[in-house]
Amino acid sequence: MSVRTNIDALRSELNDHNYRYYVLDDPVISDAEYDRLLRELQSLEDAHPDLITNDSPTQRVGAPPLDGFGSIEHRIPMQSLANAMDTDELLAFHDRLIRRLGEEKAIEYIAEPKLDGLAVELVYEHGKFVNGSTRGDGTTGEEITQNLKTIRAIPLALRVETQSAPALLEVRGEVFIRKDDFNKLNKQQEANDKPIFANPRNAAAGSLRQLDSSITATRPLSIFCYQAGVVEGVTFETHSEFLAALQNWGFPVNPEIKVLSGIEDAVIFHSELESRRNTLPYEIDGSVIKVNNYALREELGVRSRSPRWAIAGKFKAQQETTVVEDIVLSVGRTGAVTPVAKLVPVKVGGVMVSNVTLHNQDEIDRKDIRVGDTVLIQRAGDVIPQVVKVILEKRPEIASPFKMTNTCPECDHDVYRPEGEVVARCQNLSCPAQVKRRIEHFVSKNAMDIDGVGEKLIDQLVEKKRIKSVDDLFRLTLDQLSGLERMAEKSAENTISAINNSKATTFHRFIHALGIRNVGEHVSKVLEKAFGGNMEIFMKTNVEYLEAIDEVGPIVAETIITFWSDETNVNIVNNCFELGVTLESVKNETEQIFTGKTFVFTGSLEKITRKEGKEIVEERGGRAAGSVSAKTDYVVAGENAGSKLKKAEESGIPVLTESEFMDLIK
Ligand code: IVH
């Protein structure tokens, strides 16, 4: 095969995987495998720079920083939407349309979630992405082509197998950050002493407006496309047809979008969406109800700022005000001292909030939060609650600025905040708070998984100085335990046997359990592979070796070296082994028998948990989903399986019993 053919094949394979991942939501390879293909392409292109094209998947890493953004005039203005604040206003919108259209026509609507992100326009000429811009003032936006190219969900070239590429295609959509990605991003920002983002929308905005696109490339931006600009060479009768074409071309389209036969259904869509708002993986602030038929849209026309044929149904705000009763300091596993506001409990978005992290002194200063203040609290789904702002009008006269103490609230040791960093840390490794958190982490589900050693027990053990470091857990005796509060003899026995049972573990669980900074569950697995599960070699490793491992960067490498250069850590680990910890040897590469297959586990299984089922499937290259859909290949049903089993049977999806499933993997 010539290099060119090889490169072409790799590009088209990578593009296919992107399409499966972002558009079909049905990936068939792991992220690691994707990265391997990408690196293969990268090294071929490095050797043959003349073969690099603008739309190669390697061109998403960012370009040299700009001095400023250029501007782009939108051929069709990017308008905004009129709002409907309640059901009556939605109905009034429909009445207005009927009046304009002059007859009692049934209007077909198309309803979409209103994403809380940033609108962008993407321009494709003859199937190639040529430029992209922000909405700006609606007429002129900023040219952010390089930044948009870093978003893997945006196709750099249209897929044109099933339909040809139009001469010109302008696609509009919303760039946003998913809630879980947002939480991760803020954790990273905190760990790297960078300012945290107030909400996913701000994080998306900050990321899109970077002059250095290599920074944008590190941000977890997503997109859903929902609107056409100028399209030359193809016509569509309805919006739903256009959205279907968008998907075929490779654009992610929100799967929640529905065609509805009348305004009543739109009202139902709106209220159902509002009730599910917190369970969606991204933030939305309403629904958008649009006329589906393009000829009707034409007839209705636009106003100066918004089209007549669409309306945004707004949701109730997920913000509340409450009072800060106190600000306390909490000490984490790594000694980070975090200020936490104790609030008069308040229900926000259906959940009681009584604590909210204030992150660090800089954040407190920036928002000027004081004890006694009335604050505006915001939460959205699983986004961590936060203080939006202080209601200054309500500040009591006596409220004075809050200053974190320079000593640890738990051990009185000095708290140190390095120059230029935002996080203050207690430097005392034997600080009881840190010891407790380290042990809590050590015993946790995804680490050593020691059942029955909970927070209360750990508190007592540390306070009574029975445990100073994790190895002491393996020295605990029945006598020591049974003397403790709420520890009957039977539960003491159970605890001891749970501790003993945990000793047979795996390399990655043990490494994760040690709580080395920046070495989480995933990196631990990467290390297990890289070191073949050999602890001795891992303990004596060096920076060069570590940095040569994929997915291990200089920061992780350095923290690992620092960890092992501390003799206390080496001793603790050696003690664990002397006290009976053994690491199961790493399994040989599991045969990828489930590649491309999606499983759904339902009902109660006997031999394995559903989580284990998922792991078994994923180890073998498959995927486990939470609900039955057209993409499901097998349903594994245990006792008392309900609607999922029913749906599988109705749709003719093969159903396996647990033991049939176990036979498959033998
Ligand atoms: S359609 C003229 N659809 O809402 C209609 N907009 O207030 C153009 N938005 O600037 C927009 N989700 O940033 C449309 N499914 C959706 C949307 C959506 C979010 C945003 C978009 C727009 C603003 C209009």
PDB file of all heavy atoms in Angstrom, residues 400-432:
ATOM      1  N   SER A 400     -17.826  41.112  58.462  1.00  0.00           N
ATOM      2  CA  SER A 400     -16.483  41.557  58.085  1.00  0.00           C
ATOM      3  C   SER A 400     -15.856  40.534  57.139  1.00  0.00           C
ATOM      4  O   SER A 400     -16.233  39.362  57.132  1.00  0.00           O
ATOM      5  CB  SER A 400     -15.627  41.744  59.332  1.00  0.00           C
ATOM      6  OG  SER A 400     -15.672  40.559  60.079  1.00  0.00           O
ATOM      7  N   PRO A 401     -14.884  40.985  56.335  1.00  0.00           N
ATOM      8  CA  PRO A 401     -14.287  40.086  55.344  1.00  0.00           C
ATOM      9  C   PRO A 401     -13.733  38.823  56.004  1.00  0.00           C
ATOM     10  O   PRO A 401     -13.246  38.877  57.136  1.00  0.00           O
ATOM     11  CB  PRO A 401     -13.155  40.918  54.744  1.00  0.00           C
ATOM     12  CG  PRO A 401     -13.508  42.322  55.026  1.00  0.00           C
ATOM     13  CD  PRO A 401     -14.293  42.327  56.287  1.00  0.00           C
ATOM     14  N   PHE A 402     -13.795  37.714  55.278  1.00  0.00           N
ATOM     15  CA  PHE A 402     -13.325  36.444  55.831  1.00  0.00           C
ATOM     16  C   PHE A 402     -11.874  36.197  55.412  1.00  0.00           C
ATOM     17  O   PHE A 402     -11.527  36.328  54.244  1.00  0.00           O
ATOM     18  CB  PHE A 402     -14.208  35.298  55.322  1.00  0.00           C
ATOM     19  CG  PHE A 402     -13.743  33.952  55.802  1.00  0.00           C
ATOM     20  CD1 PHE A 402     -14.108  33.487  57.059  1.00  0.00           C
ATOM     21  CD2 PHE A 402     -12.915  33.156  55.012  1.00  0.00           C
ATOM     22  CE1 PHE A 402     -13.656  32.250  57.514  1.00  0.00           C
ATOM     23  CE2 PHE A 402     -12.470  31.920  55.462  1.00  0.00           C
ATOM     24  CZ  PHE A 402     -12.837  31.472  56.717  1.00  0.00           C
ATOM     25  N   LYS A 403     -11.055  35.880  56.384  1.00  0.00           N
ATOM     26  CA  LYS A 403      -9.657  35.531  56.079  1.00  0.00           C
ATOM     27  C   LYS A 403      -9.375  34.132  56.605  1.00  0.00           C
ATOM     28  O   LYS A 403      -9.626  33.851  57.774  1.00  0.00           O
ATOM     29  CB  LYS A 403      -8.686  36.504  56.773  1.00  0.00           C
ATOM     30  CG  LYS A 403      -8.374  37.742  55.958  1.00  0.00           C
ATOM     31  CD  LYS A 403      -7.203  37.509  54.993  1.00  0.00           C
ATOM     32  CE  LYS A 403      -7.159  38.511  53.848  1.00  0.00           C
ATOM     33  NZ  LYS A 403      -8.069  38.272  52.729  1.00  0.00           N
ATOM     34  N   MET A 404      -8.874  33.264  55.743  1.00  0.00           N
ATOM     35  CA  MET A 404      -8.524  31.918  56.195  1.00  0.00           C
ATOM     36  C   MET A 404      -7.366  32.008  57.177  1.00  0.00           C
ATOM     37  O   MET A 404      -6.462  32.818  57.001  1.00  0.00           O
ATOM     38  CB  MET A 404      -8.091  31.059  55.000  1.00  0.00           C
ATOM     39  CG  MET A 404      -9.252  30.562  54.185  1.00  0.00           C
ATOM     40  SD  MET A 404      -8.742  29.779  52.639  1.00  0.00           S
ATOM     41  CE  MET A 404      -7.865  28.333  53.207  1.00  0.00           C
ATOM     42  N   THR A 405      -7.406  31.151  58.203  1.00  0.00           N
ATOM     43  CA  THR A 405      -6.311  31.171  59.178  1.00  0.00           C
ATOM     44  C   THR A 405      -5.068  30.555  58.549  1.00  0.00           C
ATOM     45  O   THR A 405      -5.145  29.832  57.559  1.00  0.00           O
ATOM     46  CB  THR A 405      -6.667  30.324  60.416  1.00  0.00           C
ATOM     47  OG1 THR A 405      -7.098  29.044  59.949  1.00  0.00           O
ATOM     48  CG2 THR A 405      -7.746  30.972  61.234  1.00  0.00           C
ATOM     49  N   ASN A 406      -3.926  30.833  59.157  1.00  0.00           N
ATOM     50  CA  ASN A 406      -2.685  30.279  58.628  1.00  0.00           C
ATOM     51  C   ASN A 406      -2.335  28.951  59.262  1.00  0.00           C
ATOM     52  O   ASN A 406      -1.261  28.418  59.056  1.00  0.00           O
ATOM     53  CB  ASN A 406      -1.543  31.263  58.867  1.00  0.00           C
ATOM     54  CG  ASN A 406      -1.686  32.445  57.951  1.00  0.00           C
ATOM     55  OD1 ASN A 406      -2.200  32.304  56.840  1.00  0.00           O
ATOM     56  ND2 ASN A 406      -1.284  33.612  58.428  1.00  0.00           N
ATOM     57  N   THR A 407      -3.237  28.444  60.104  1.00  0.00           N
ATOM     58  CA  THR A 407      -2.957  27.141  60.708  1.00  0.00           C
ATOM     59  C   THR A 407      -4.072  26.169  60.348  1.00  0.00           C
ATOM     60  O   THR A 407      -5.211  26.574  60.081  1.00  0.00           O
ATOM     61  CB  THR A 407      -2.877  27.253  62.248  1.00  0.00           C
ATOM     62  OG1 THR A 407      -4.053  27.913  62.690  1.00  0.00           O
ATOM     63  CG2 THR A 407      -1.644  28.002  62.689  1.00  0.00           C
ATOM     64  N   CYS A 408      -3.731  24.893  60.364  1.00  0.00           N
ATOM     65  CA  CYS A 408      -4.690  23.859  59.989  1.00  0.00           C
ATOM     66  C   CYS A 408      -5.770  23.751  61.065  1.00  0.00           C
ATOM     67  O   CYS A 408      -5.454  23.674  62.254  1.00  0.00           O
ATOM     68  CB  CYS A 408      -3.947  22.542  59.829  1.00  0.00           C
ATOM     69  SG  CYS A 408      -5.059  21.140  59.605  1.00  0.00           S
ATOM     70  N   PRO A 409      -7.039  23.732  60.659  1.00  0.00           N
ATOM     71  CA  PRO A 409      -8.114  23.665  61.653  1.00  0.00           C
ATOM     72  C   PRO A 409      -8.103  22.334  62.413  1.00  0.00           C
ATOM     73  O   PRO A 409      -8.723  22.222  63.459  1.00  0.00           O
ATOM     74  CB  PRO A 409      -9.382  23.784  60.806  1.00  0.00           C
ATOM     75  CG  PRO A 409      -8.982  23.347  59.442  1.00  0.00           C
ATOM     76  CD  PRO A 409      -7.549  23.755  59.285  1.00  0.00           C
ATOM     77  N   GLU A 410      -7.408  21.336  61.892  1.00  0.00           N
ATOM     78  CA  GLU A 410      -7.444  20.011  62.512  1.00  0.00           C
ATOM     79  C   GLU A 410      -6.224  19.746  63.378  1.00  0.00           C
ATOM     80  O   GLU A 410      -6.319  19.048  64.376  1.00  0.00           O
ATOM     81  CB  GLU A 410      -7.511  18.926  61.427  1.00  0.00           C
ATOM     82  CG  GLU A 410      -8.698  19.042  60.511  1.00  0.00           C
ATOM     83  CD  GLU A 410      -9.921  18.297  61.033  1.00  0.00           C
ATOM     84  OE1 GLU A 410      -9.784  17.506  61.978  1.00  0.00           O
ATOM     85  OE2 GLU A 410     -11.009  18.527  60.464  1.00  0.00           O
ATOM     86  N   CYS A 411      -5.053  20.259  62.962  1.00  0.00           N
ATOM     87  CA  CYS A 411      -3.844  19.866  63.709  1.00  0.00           C
ATOM     88  C   CYS A 411      -2.999  21.066  64.120  1.00  0.00           C
ATOM     89  O   CYS A 411      -1.918  20.879  64.678  1.00  0.00           O
ATOM     90  CB  CYS A 411      -3.009  18.893  62.886  1.00  0.00           C
ATOM     91  SG  CYS A 411      -2.220  19.664  61.468  1.00  0.00           S
ATOM     92  N   ASP A 412      -3.478  22.269  63.801  1.00  0.00           N
ATOM     93  CA  ASP A 412      -2.765  23.489  64.201  1.00  0.00           C
ATOM     94  C   ASP A 412      -1.419  23.701  63.513  1.00  0.00           C
ATOM     95  O   ASP A 412      -0.723  24.650  63.806  1.00  0.00           O
ATOM     96  CB  ASP A 412      -2.546  23.518  65.730  1.00  0.00           C
ATOM     97  CG  ASP A 412      -3.727  24.183  66.412  1.00  0.00           C
ATOM     98  OD1 ASP A 412      -4.510  24.849  65.697  1.00  0.00           O
ATOM     99  OD2 ASP A 412      -3.866  24.014  67.638  1.00  0.00           O
ATOM    100  N   HIS A 413      -1.070  22.792  62.657  1.00  0.00           N
ATOM    101  CA  HIS A 413       0.185  22.909  61.919  1.00  0.00           C
ATOM    102  C   HIS A 413       0.079  24.082  60.950  1.00  0.00           C
ATOM    103  O   HIS A 413      -1.028  24.453  60.555  1.00  0.00           O
ATOM    104  CB  HIS A 413       0.376  21.599  61.145  1.00  0.00           C
ATOM    105  CG  HIS A 413       1.798  21.236  60.928  1.00  0.00           C
ATOM    106  ND1 HIS A 413       2.525  21.737  59.898  1.00  0.00           N
ATOM    107  CD2 HIS A 413       2.616  20.397  61.614  1.00  0.00           C
ATOM    108  CE1 HIS A 413       3.747  21.218  59.946  1.00  0.00           C
ATOM    109  NE2 HIS A 413       3.823  20.402  60.988  1.00  0.00           N
ATOM    110  N   ASP A 414       1.209  24.627  60.525  1.00  0.00           N
ATOM    111  CA  ASP A 414       1.163  25.747  59.582  1.00  0.00           C
ATOM    112  C   ASP A 414       0.534  25.342  58.255  1.00  0.00           C
ATOM    113  O   ASP A 414       0.780  24.247  57.765  1.00  0.00           O
ATOM    114  CB  ASP A 414       2.581  26.240  59.280  1.00  0.00           C
ATOM    115  CG  ASP A 414       3.078  27.117  60.409  1.00  0.00           C
ATOM    116  OD1 ASP A 414       2.246  27.422  61.308  1.00  0.00           O
ATOM    117  OD2 ASP A 414       4.270  27.464  60.407  1.00  0.00           O
ATOM    118  N   VAL A 415      -0.246  26.255  57.720  1.00  0.00           N
ATOM    119  CA  VAL A 415      -0.806  26.037  56.391  1.00  0.00           C
ATOM    120  C   VAL A 415       0.038  26.858  55.431  1.00  0.00           C
ATOM    121  O   VAL A 415       0.350  28.008  55.701  1.00  0.00           O
ATOM    122  CB  VAL A 415      -2.278  26.495  56.357  1.00  0.00           C
ATOM    123  CG1 VAL A 415      -2.756  26.648  54.941  1.00  0.00           C
ATOM    124  CG2 VAL A 415      -3.135  25.521  57.122  1.00  0.00           C
ATOM    125  N   TYR A 416       0.447  26.253  54.339  1.00  0.00           N
ATOM    126  CA  TYR A 416       1.365  26.926  53.436  1.00  0.00           C
ATOM    127  C   TYR A 416       0.708  27.149  52.080  1.00  0.00           C
ATOM    128  O   TYR A 416       0.130  26.233  51.509  1.00  0.00           O
ATOM    129  CB  TYR A 416       2.623  26.058  53.305  1.00  0.00           C
ATOM    130  CG  TYR A 416       3.603  26.549  52.289  1.00  0.00           C
ATOM    131  CD1 TYR A 416       4.240  27.789  52.440  1.00  0.00           C
ATOM    132  CD2 TYR A 416       3.915  25.768  51.176  1.00  0.00           C
ATOM    133  CE1 TYR A 416       5.145  28.229  51.501  1.00  0.00           C
ATOM    134  CE2 TYR A 416       4.824  26.207  50.231  1.00  0.00           C
ATOM    135  CZ  TYR A 416       5.438  27.440  50.396  1.00  0.00           C
ATOM    136  OH  TYR A 416       6.330  27.869  49.451  1.00  0.00           O
ATOM    137  N   ARG A 417       0.798  28.383  51.611  1.00  0.00           N
ATOM    138  CA  ARG A 417       0.272  28.666  50.281  1.00  0.00           C
ATOM    139  C   ARG A 417       1.396  29.210  49.425  1.00  0.00           C
ATOM    140  O   ARG A 417       1.807  30.359  49.583  1.00  0.00           O
ATOM    141  CB  ARG A 417      -0.860  29.694  50.399  1.00  0.00           C
ATOM    142  CG  ARG A 417      -1.428  30.065  49.056  1.00  0.00           C
ATOM    143  CD  ARG A 417      -2.579  31.037  49.194  1.00  0.00           C
ATOM    144  NE  ARG A 417      -2.861  31.641  47.918  1.00  0.00           N
ATOM    145  CZ  ARG A 417      -3.738  32.603  47.736  1.00  0.00           C
ATOM    146  NH1 ARG A 417      -4.430  33.072  48.767  1.00  0.00           N
ATOM    147  NH2 ARG A 417      -3.940  33.106  46.546  1.00  0.00           N
ATOM    148  N   PRO A 418       1.922  28.375  48.521  1.00  0.00           N
ATOM    149  CA  PRO A 418       3.062  28.818  47.718  1.00  0.00           C
ATOM    150  C   PRO A 418       2.712  30.060  46.903  1.00  0.00           C
ATOM    151  O   PRO A 418       1.567  30.215  46.462  1.00  0.00           O
ATOM    152  CB  PRO A 418       3.346  27.629  46.794  1.00  0.00           C
ATOM    153  CG  PRO A 418       2.613  26.481  47.375  1.00  0.00           C
ATOM    154  CD  PRO A 418       1.474  27.033  48.149  1.00  0.00           C
ATOM    155  N   GLU A 419       3.703  30.897  46.701  1.00  0.00           N
ATOM    156  CA  GLU A 419       3.581  32.106  45.902  1.00  0.00           C
ATOM    157  C   GLU A 419       2.914  31.760  44.559  1.00  0.00           C
ATOM    158  O   GLU A 419       3.291  30.793  43.900  1.00  0.00           O
ATOM    159  CB  GLU A 419       5.030  32.593  45.676  1.00  0.00           C
ATOM    160  CG  GLU A 419       5.214  33.941  45.013  1.00  0.00           C
ATOM    161  CD  GLU A 419       4.842  35.109  45.926  1.00  0.00           C
ATOM    162  OE1 GLU A 419       5.002  34.986  47.156  1.00  0.00           O
ATOM    163  OE2 GLU A 419       4.368  36.119  45.379  1.00  0.00           O
ATOM    164  N   GLY A 420       1.901  32.514  44.178  1.00  0.00           N
ATOM    165  CA  GLY A 420       1.293  32.306  42.856  1.00  0.00           C
ATOM    166  C   GLY A 420       0.280  31.171  42.806  1.00  0.00           C
ATOM    167  O   GLY A 420      -0.339  30.926  41.792  1.00  0.00           O
ATOM    168  N   GLU A 421       0.115  30.410  43.899  1.00  0.00           N
ATOM    169  CA  GLU A 421      -0.879  29.336  43.887  1.00  0.00           C
ATOM    170  C   GLU A 421      -2.110  29.752  44.684  1.00  0.00           C
ATOM    171  O   GLU A 421      -2.026  30.621  45.552  1.00  0.00           O
ATOM    172  CB  GLU A 421      -0.281  28.049  44.477  1.00  0.00           C
ATOM    173  CG  GLU A 421       0.806  27.494  43.581  1.00  0.00           C
ATOM    174  CD  GLU A 421       1.179  26.067  43.919  1.00  0.00           C
ATOM    175  OE1 GLU A 421       0.531  25.462  44.796  1.00  0.00           O
ATOM    176  OE2 GLU A 421       2.125  25.578  43.298  1.00  0.00           O
ATOM    177  N   VAL A 422      -3.240  29.130  44.363  1.00  0.00           N
ATOM    178  CA  VAL A 422      -4.451  29.533  45.067  1.00  0.00           C
ATOM    179  C   VAL A 422      -4.805  28.590  46.212  1.00  0.00           C
ATOM    180  O   VAL A 422      -5.544  28.952  47.114  1.00  0.00           O
ATOM    181  CB  VAL A 422      -5.677  29.654  44.124  1.00  0.00           C
ATOM    182  CG1 VAL A 422      -5.540  30.858  43.226  1.00  0.00           C
ATOM    183  CG2 VAL A 422      -5.880  28.398  43.319  1.00  0.00           C
ATOM    184  N   VAL A 423      -4.249  27.365  46.162  1.00  0.00           N
ATOM    185  CA  VAL A 423      -4.625  26.388  47.188  1.00  0.00           C
ATOM    186  C   VAL A 423      -3.655  26.433  48.361  1.00  0.00           C
ATOM    187  O   VAL A 423      -2.438  26.411  48.170  1.00  0.00           O
ATOM    188  CB  VAL A 423      -4.646  24.958  46.590  1.00  0.00           C
ATOM    189  CG1 VAL A 423      -5.041  23.945  47.638  1.00  0.00           C
ATOM    190  CG2 VAL A 423      -5.606  24.909  45.421  1.00  0.00           C
ATOM    191  N   ALA A 424      -4.202  26.502  49.564  1.00  0.00           N
ATOM    192  CA  ALA A 424      -3.377  26.455  50.769  1.00  0.00           C
ATOM    193  C   ALA A 424      -3.364  25.014  51.259  1.00  0.00           C
ATOM    194  O   ALA A 424      -4.379  24.327  51.189  1.00  0.00           O
ATOM    195  CB  ALA A 424      -3.974  27.372  51.827  1.00  0.00           C
ATOM    196  N   ARG A 425      -2.204  24.559  51.738  1.00  0.00           N
ATOM    197  CA  ARG A 425      -2.115  23.162  52.182  1.00  0.00           C
ATOM    198  C   ARG A 425      -1.521  23.033  53.569  1.00  0.00           C
ATOM    199  O   ARG A 425      -0.573  23.731  53.917  1.00  0.00           O
ATOM    200  CB  ARG A 425      -1.225  22.355  51.225  1.00  0.00           C
ATOM    201  CG  ARG A 425      -1.924  21.958  49.977  1.00  0.00           C
ATOM    202  CD  ARG A 425      -1.012  21.238  49.014  1.00  0.00           C
ATOM    203  NE  ARG A 425      -1.477  21.470  47.660  1.00  0.00           N
ATOM    204  CZ  ARG A 425      -2.510  20.849  47.108  1.00  0.00           C
ATOM    205  NH1 ARG A 425      -3.151  19.926  47.777  1.00  0.00           N
ATOM    206  NH2 ARG A 425      -2.909  21.146  45.894  1.00  0.00           N
ATOM    207  N   CYS A 426      -2.095  22.070  54.323  1.00  0.00           N
ATOM    208  CA  CYS A 426      -1.515  21.716  55.612  1.00  0.00           C
ATOM    209  C   CYS A 426      -0.331  20.813  55.303  1.00  0.00           C
ATOM    210  O   CYS A 426      -0.461  19.826  54.596  1.00  0.00           O
ATOM    211  CB  CYS A 426      -2.550  20.985  56.467  1.00  0.00           C
ATOM    212  SG  CYS A 426      -1.819  20.151  57.868  1.00  0.00           S
ATOM    213  N   GLN A 427       0.852  21.176  55.843  1.00  0.00           N
ATOM    214  CA  GLN A 427       2.081  20.473  55.465  1.00  0.00           C
ATOM    215  C   GLN A 427       2.338  19.234  56.312  1.00  0.00           C
ATOM    216  O   GLN A 427       3.301  18.524  56.090  1.00  0.00           O
ATOM    217  CB  GLN A 427       3.279  21.420  55.629  1.00  0.00           C
ATOM    218  CG  GLN A 427       3.200  22.663  54.811  1.00  0.00           C
ATOM    219  CD  GLN A 427       3.517  22.385  53.358  1.00  0.00           C
ATOM    220  OE1 GLN A 427       2.633  22.026  52.588  1.00  0.00           O
ATOM    221  NE2 GLN A 427       4.762  22.521  52.974  1.00  0.00           N
ATOM    222  N   ASN A 428       1.488  19.032  57.340  1.00  0.00           N
ATOM    223  CA  ASN A 428       1.737  17.954  58.284  1.00  0.00           C
ATOM    224  C   ASN A 428       1.147  16.639  57.771  1.00  0.00           C
ATOM    225  O   ASN A 428      -0.060  16.443  57.785  1.00  0.00           O
ATOM    226  CB  ASN A 428       1.091  18.348  59.621  1.00  0.00           C
ATOM    227  CG  ASN A 428       1.163  17.237  60.634  1.00  0.00           C
ATOM    228  OD1 ASN A 428       1.901  16.268  60.459  1.00  0.00           O
ATOM    229  ND2 ASN A 428       0.391  17.393  61.703  1.00  0.00           N
ATOM    230  N   LEU A 429       2.042  15.731  57.328  1.00  0.00           N
ATOM    231  CA  LEU A 429       1.560  14.480  56.736  1.00  0.00           C
ATOM    232  C   LEU A 429       0.768  13.627  57.714  1.00  0.00           C
ATOM    233  O   LEU A 429      -0.072  12.837  57.323  1.00  0.00           O
ATOM    234  CB  LEU A 429       2.733  13.676  56.188  1.00  0.00           C
ATOM    235  CG  LEU A 429       3.130  13.993  54.750  1.00  0.00           C
ATOM    236  CD1 LEU A 429       4.258  13.091  54.314  1.00  0.00           C
ATOM    237  CD2 LEU A 429       1.932  13.870  53.811  1.00  0.00           C
ATOM    238  N   SER A 430       1.051  13.804  59.038  1.00  0.00           N
ATOM    239  CA  SER A 430       0.281  13.006  59.990  1.00  0.00           C
ATOM    240  C   SER A 430      -0.907  13.782  60.556  1.00  0.00           C
ATOM    241  O   SER A 430      -1.478  13.397  61.579  1.00  0.00           O
ATOM    242  CB  SER A 430       1.166  12.433  61.091  1.00  0.00           C
ATOM    243  OG  SER A 430       2.301  13.214  61.286  1.00  0.00           O
ATOM    244  N   CYS A 431      -1.281  14.865  59.894  1.00  0.00           N
ATOM    245  CA  CYS A 431      -2.489  15.612  60.272  1.00  0.00           C
ATOM    246  C   CYS A 431      -3.676  14.639  60.282  1.00  0.00           C
ATOM    247  O   CYS A 431      -3.925  13.954  59.283  1.00  0.00           O
ATOM    248  CB  CYS A 431      -2.718  16.723  59.254  1.00  0.00           C
ATOM    249  SG  CYS A 431      -4.368  17.425  59.296  1.00  0.00           S
ATOM    250  N   PRO A 432      -4.382  14.526  61.416  1.00  0.00           N
ATOM    251  CA  PRO A 432      -5.447  13.527  61.506  1.00  0.00           C
ATOM    252  C   PRO A 432      -6.488  13.642  60.385  1.00  0.00           C
ATOM    253  O   PRO A 432      -6.978  12.624  59.894  1.00  0.00           O
ATOM    254  CB  PRO A 432      -6.083  13.780  62.872  1.00  0.00           C
ATOM    255  CG  PRO A 432      -5.383  14.933  63.466  1.00  0.00           C
ATOM    256  CD  PRO A 432      -4.192  15.285  62.652  1.00  0.00           C
TER     257      PRO A 432
END
